[in-house]
Amino acid sequence: MSDFMIQIIEDDEITDLDADQNNDLYWKVAIVDDDQGVHDVTRLALSGVKILGRKLEFICAMSGKEGADLLTNHPDCAVVLLDVVMETSDAGLLLADTIRNQLKMENVQIILRTGQPGYCPEEEVITRYEINDYKTKNELTRDKLFTSLATAIRSYSQLVALNESKKGLRNVIQASASLMKERSVHAFANGVLQQINALFNLSAQGMFCVSQTPSKGPAELIDGPNNHYFVVATSPQFNNFYGKELQDVQRGQAVTIANKTLHKKDNIIEKEFCSLYLSTPSGWEGVVVINSPFNLTDLDEELLKLFCFNVSLGLENAKFFTHLNDAAFFDSLTGLYNRNGFIENAPRIAKLAKRNLSLFIVDIDYFHEIIESLGFEFGNLVLASFTSSLNRDFLSDGIIARLHSDVFALLLPDTQWLYRDITKQCSKPFMVNNNSLRLGVTVGAANCDIRVEKLDIELLLRHAEIALKVAKEHQRGVGQLFEAKFEDDKRAHLDILADLRTGLVKQELFMVLQPKVSMSRGDVVGYEALIRWEHPVKGMISPNAFIPIAEQSGLYFDIDMYVLRKSFEVIEKNPQICKPISVNISANSLHHCDFISEVKQIMTEKNFNIEQIEIEVTENALVRSDMAIKHLRDLKALGFVLCLDDFGAGYSSLSYLLKLPLDVIKIDRTFVTHIEKGTKALAVLEGMLQICQNLDMRVVVEGVETQEQADLLMSLNADIAQGFLYYKPLTIAQVLDDAL
């Protein structure tokens, strides 16, 4: 060791810095020097000194190697007073390298002391070994030593605080990132309780409360009360509070401080409890109560504020995700699963089944009439009450969904219920606004034997919906179990529909004419146009196979206009056909908004005598709306002869004979069929004929197939008949041959 001088002076003016801090803590100062005298003098000079409110604790080593071991065991050392020349001429420099590069002590301050200032260039040493101060021993008087040490400790303190801040910030970011992944409010809230303990080294119990609705945000979220707070997550100590409204929870310190926090809208830190206030941009409010005191430093308090800010954003995300999830998978009116939610949860129910899975689709019959007569609000009450009945009867067995409007789905594992049982149960009366209401339902059912097939819920739904459609057509008010042939029929239906559209474009459909005959003279007095279809591959397709499909699919209008146009063409191209042709117009076409304008368009395209075209409409076309009657009058104004087809078979209002501009009445074939079997049918038919004749209307009786029927009709003064007794439908060529 070189000469080392330190001047010891009485310096009462050197005072504590920040003496209000915790005096039980020490700054560790390592003295690494091979001269024991340096150790003793340094201790003596700085005895009793406080820096930043803490005393100094000296740890000592006599060589570079001992210094490395010493610092390995004391990683919290603040300052190293390091001699350069010890066991070797560069031992101090090698230790400095070890401190920085091997021990990774980035915060510790190294004050290099040497008695041989010319041995190492000062600038090179400071740069290479990250030396914080470089002094010769003879210039370190007590006051200068104190000044260097105080400066070093202050730098160390700031570096430690900065690193702690970085670490805390990193922890907050990591904790927040973890919480942001949680999509349910419950999972998010549980995560917050766990992260608070992790961030602040606690092992505390707590609870998390959240407001039911936001004070701002989408209207559908703020319509309800926003002053109700629910406990959405708890530690074991507060498990009894979980799921309850805060105002219903048993009073205690935790509840009291939670209410104070929500009222104050700020964090509250007390001796035994800490309560954190959360507020999201949309106005959701939350409070986290922890039953452990926080001993917060300034750094901790800033981290806590940042954490609360991030938690608020995470809560916003969780709340809105929950709302979107509800909107995606739940029906807002009934609280049941919607179609998506039903499909999502079906596999869960399938796992409960050991044998089979049964799906029932329940359709409320004529629900639209409830809406039309009593309004949507009452309809919603009916749906809510019906839902309560379904929940009571079936929820414990499986899952229930509202697929749309008035259609519900029940998915039940290993059930004994059959569709007839479901129909009876759902048709029982229930209460709506203190009134008893009984609904009729139709059920479509489908089964999946999970022992032999894997569940395909989309396929099962389609099967049940097909069964429901069949039931509504043939067994309304009861139900139908899916059968494989229904799907084959449906596929054939779609094939026919697709081919029919193509056939209309390619004009594959052609017309035949069935003559109307004067029974008294035997001559033809008119024709009825009938459509036929010869498919290029499948051959002749019966009208019974494609006409109902056309009506169900909305293609009826195209077919009616097709037949009308073809009838005009026949008259235009074949003037020798001088008897009128009657064209059937379906009920749906008569209600089509473009019906009259389309008829007018066809009339402008063709050259014909309008008296040669008669328009036939059925009774059921007239009872549906005023538009049908208006269109009928418009047709009369255009000059068409109007015929009421199938009279007596439908709604049969005699008022039609008085208020409508009808020229011809066609009596339905059912009356002709029954006149041979009894006097009642004969009497009714006689009365109908008499009325029409008195009103000066022509009468056509259809379905005449036997001579006995013809004789009876002639005895009743019926004149015009149509039926196989006289003619079957004829092609245009046959009609022309007959005319010639």
Side-chain angles (χ1 to χ4, degrees):
M1 182 186 92
S2 301
D3 294 338
F4 173 58
M5 296 179 59
I6 184 164
Q7 182 180 0
I8 300 176
I9 61 174
E10 297 295 333
D11 193 356
D12 296 333
E13 295 180 359
I14 297 177
T15 59
D16 296 347
L17 301 176
D18 300 331
D20 59 331
Q21 296 192 24
N22 189 343
N23 293 328
D24 294 333
L25 300 176
Y26 293 84
W27 299 114
K28 286 185 179 180
V29 178
I31 304 173
V32 184
D33 201 298
D34 61 354
D35 188 338
Q36 183 62 45
V38 172
H39 289 264
D40 296 339
V41 170
T42 302
R43 288 174 180 275
L44 178 61
L46 298 175
S47 63
V49 169
K50 292 182 181 179
I51 299 175
L52 296 178
R54 300 183 188 181
K55 295 179 181 180
L56 305 180
E57 177 186 349
F58 293 99
I59 53 177
C60 300
M62 301 298 291
S63 67
K65 183 178 183 305
E66 289 182 10
D69 294 338
L70 179 72
L71 293 172
T72 300
N73 295 325
H74 294 276
D76 56 342
C77 182
V79 181
V80 179
L81 298 173
L82 179 61
D83 189 12
V84 175
V85 181
M86 291 181 284
E87 66 266 36
T88 62
S89 60
D90 60 351
L93 301 181
L94 293 176
L95 178 57
D97 183 67
T98 298
I99 291 170
R100 296 305 187 200
N101 297 319
Q102 294 184 28
L103 300 181
K104 303 296 183 182
M105 297 175 68
E106 299 175 352
N107 298 331
V108 67
Q109 302 293 292
I110 301 175
I111 299 177
L112 203 62
R113 301 193 297 185
T114 181
Q116 303 177 29
Y119 186 77
C120 292
E122 183 174 331
E123 183 176 337
E124 181 185 344
V125 171
I126 291 173
T127 303
R128 182 176 178 183
Y129 296 107
E130 297 182 42
I131 304 302
N132 304 103
D133 205 352
Y134 186 92
K135 300 291 184 184
T136 59
K137 292 182 179 180
N138 60 7
E139 67 178 313
L140 282 176
T141 60
R142 181 180 185 273
D143 56 340
K144 289 184 178 179
L145 179 60
F146 172 82
T147 301
S148 294
L149 205 58
T151 300
I153 287 175
R154 195 181 290 276
S155 297
Y156 172 80
S157 175
Q158 290 173 348
L159 285 173
V160 169
L162 181 60
N163 284 339
E164 286 297 317
S165 178
K166 288 180 179 178
K167 181 180 178 182
L169 182 59
R170 188 182 304 113
N171 288 340
V172 167
I173 292 172
Q174 290 174 348
S176 301
S178 175
L179 292 172
M180 291 295 183
K181 296 177 183 177
E182 298 295 351
R183 294 182 171 183
S184 75
V185 174
H186 170 67
F188 174 82
N190 272 326
V192 171
L193 295 179
Q194 295 170 7
Q195 295 291 356
I196 287 177
N197 279 333
L199 282 173
F200 299 101
N201 297 315
L202 302 174
S203 57
Q205 301 287 310
M207 67 178 186
F208 195 128
C209 307
V210 179
S211 59
Q212 184 179 10
T213 56
S215 58
K216 299 175 287 184
E220 62 269 21
L221 295 181
I222 63 176
D223 286 342
N226 60 4
N227 59 342
H228 292 186
Y229 298 85
F230 288 86
V231 180
V232 294
T234 59
S235 298
Q237 179 181 334
F238 299 100
N239 277 350
N240 290 337
F241 297 173
Y242 177 71
K244 296 181 180 178
E245 194 172 342
L246 188 60
Q247 67 181 23
D248 296 333
V249 173
Q250 182 180 359
R251 293 295 170 180
Q253 285 182 278
V255 176
T256 300
I257 195 172
N259 285 320
K260 285 172 61 177
T261 301
L262 292 169
H263 177 73
K264 186 180 178 182
K265 300 187 183 304
D266 198 2
N267 300 339
I268 296 178
I269 299 177
E270 296 183 348
K271 185 176 181 181
E272 296 184 15
F273 281 89
C274 173
S275 185
L276 308 179
Y277 174 73
L278 307 173
S279 178
T280 77
S282 293
W284 269 296
E285 288 186 306
V287 58
V288 183
V289 178
I290 299 294
N291 74 330
S292 178
F294 279 162
N295 296 316
L296 297 177
T297 63
D298 291 341
L299 172 60
D300 288 339
E301 190 168 351
E302 290 302 315
L303 290 177
L304 183 62
K305 290 179 181 178
L306 178 60
F307 181 71
C308 289
F309 175 76
N310 285 347
V311 167
S312 295
L313 295 180
L315 176 61
E316 178 98 323
N317 290 342
K319 274 287 193 178
F320 273 113
F321 185 86
T322 299
H323 168 67
L324 292 175
N325 184 68
D326 288 347
F329 297 107
F330 292 89
D331 174 57
S332 59
L333 174 64
T334 63
L336 299 173
Y337 289 120
N338 59 17
R339 191 183 188 93
N340 289 335
F342 181 78
I343 292 172
E344 187 78 12
N345 285 272
R348 173 174 59 85
I349 299 300
K351 291 179 181 178
L352 303 177
K354 297 179 180 179
R355 300 184 307 276
N356 60 68
L357 203 60
S358 298
L359 173 60
F360 302 97
I361 296 184
V362 181
D363 180 274
I364 300 176
D365 293 334
Y366 308 112
F367 182 75
H368 65 280
E369 294 184 359
I370 294 177
I371 300 298
E372 290 174 357
S373 58
L374 299 175
F376 280 100
E377 185 174 347
F378 184 79
N380 288 341
L381 291 176
V382 171
L383 292 175
S385 297
F386 187 70
T387 298
S388 297
S389 298
L390 292 177
N391 284 334
R392 182 188 65 242
D393 296 331
F394 304 108
L395 187 58
S396 61
D397 297 329
I399 58 173
I400 308 172
R402 182 188 179 205
L403 299 182
H404 57 85
S405 184
D406 59 335
V407 179
F408 296 80
L410 312 175
L411 188 64
L412 309 177
D414 297 329
T415 184
Q416 299 299 315
W417 290 92
L418 302 175
Y419 69 83
R420 290 184 177 86
D421 304 322
I422 300 290
T423 302
K424 292 178 182 177
Q425 191 68 24
C426 292
S427 299
K428 290 182 177 180
F430 56 88
M431 300 302 295
V432 180
N433 279 356
N434 297 321
N435 295 312
S436 178
L437 180 67
R438 184 191 295 270
L439 296 175
V441 301
T442 303
V443 177
N447 293 325
C448 173
D449 188 342
I450 63 170
R451 295 170 296 185
V452 297
E453 58 183 312
K454 184 179 179 181
L455 172 66
D456 183 340
I457 189 59
E458 296 275 12
L459 179 64
L460 196 63
L461 270 170
R462 188 169 80 244
H463 286 174
E465 287 169 336
I466 291 173
L468 177 64
K469 182 176 178 59
V470 172
K472 292 176 73 173
E473 291 175 353
H474 305 291
Q475 296 191 80
R476 182 179 285 273
V478 187
Q480 178 66 56
L481 178 65
F482 173 79
E483 298 176 17
K485 71 182 186 68
F486 296 161
E487 199 163 31
D488 295 337
D489 293 344
K490 184 69 174 178
R491 192 174 293 110
H493 175 113
L494 294 176
D495 289 343
I496 288 177
L497 181 59
D499 289 348
L500 183 57
R501 293 183 188 278
T502 302
L504 284 171
V505 173
K506 294 184 176 181
Q507 299 195 29
E508 295 171 0
L509 283 75
F510 63 94
M511 234 173 49
V512 295
L513 302 178
Q514 184 171 21
K516 303 173 186 178
V517 178
S518 170
M519 288 188 290
S520 60
R521 300 189 307 273
D523 60 328
V524 174
V525 296
Y527 303 94
E528 179 180 2
L530 302 174
I531 195 71
R532 295 293 183 266
W533 179 19
E534 185 171 11
H535 192 280
V537 176
K538 300 174 183 177
M540 293 296 297
I541 297 178
S542 168
N544 292 332
F546 70 86
I547 293 297
I549 292 175
E551 291 180 346
Q552 293 170 15
S553 64
L555 210 57
Y556 53 84
F557 184 72
D558 300 84
I559 289 182
D560 284 353
M561 296 303 101
Y562 184 94
V563 174
L564 185 62
R565 182 175 280 105
K566 287 295 183 183
S567 299
F568 288 168
E569 289 178 2
V570 166
I571 294 172
E572 184 179 27
K573 294 179 180 179
N574 303 284
Q576 59 269 51
I577 300 178
C578 55
K579 301 297 191 295
I581 298 173
S582 62
V583 178
N584 289 285
I585 298 297
S586 68
N588 292 319
S589 288
L590 203 57
H591 289 81
H592 198 288
C593 58
D594 294 331
F595 173 64
I596 294 298
S597 60
E598 187 71 15
V599 171
K600 289 180 178 178
Q601 176 63 33
I602 295 172
M603 291 173 64
T604 61
E605 299 171 359
K606 306 298 177 183
N607 180 25
F608 67 99
N609 180 1
I610 198 169
E611 293 181 356
Q612 287 185 267
I613 294 293
E614 297 181 355
I615 301 294
E616 291 190 12
V617 296
T618 58
E619 285 183 274
N620 64 353
L622 306 178
V623 300
R624 294 178 58 181
S625 73
D626 293 337
M627 180 180 287
I629 296 176
K630 177 183 181 301
H631 284 169
L632 204 61
R633 288 174 174 156
D634 291 340
L635 289 172
K636 186 64 177 179
L638 290 173
F640 288 101
V641 172
L642 301 182
C643 175
L644 183 61
D645 195 12
D646 298 335
F647 183 73
Y651 298 93
S652 298
S653 173
L654 293 177
S655 63
Y656 292 144
L657 304 181
L658 300 176
K659 66 181 182 182
L660 296 179
L662 300 172
D663 302 292
V664 181
I665 301 296
K666 287 186 75 174
I667 296 178
D668 188 70
R669 66 179 61 246
T670 56
F671 290 95
V672 177
T673 302
H674 288 97
I675 59 173
E676 297 177 275
K677 300 179 181 179
T679 57
K680 290 184 179 180
L682 192 61
V684 171
L685 183 57
E686 182 179 13
M688 293 168 64
L689 288 169
Q690 188 63 51
I691 291 173
C692 294
Q693 290 166 357
N694 290 341
L695 292 174
D696 199 24
M697 293 181 179
R698 282 188 288 134
V699 179
V700 178
V701 181
E702 58 182 350
V704 181
E705 298 182 354
T706 68
Q707 187 60 50
E708 184 180 1
Q709 291 171 345
D711 293 340
L712 285 171
L713 289 170
M714 291 182 67
S715 69
L716 298 176
N717 295 322
D719 182 34
I720 302 174
Q722 184 179 356
F724 286 178
L725 176 63
Y726 302 100
Y727 287 98
K728 292 182 178 180
L730 306 175
T731 63
I732 302 301
Q734 289 173 326
V735 170
L736 292 174
D737 288 342
D738 189 67
L740 295 175

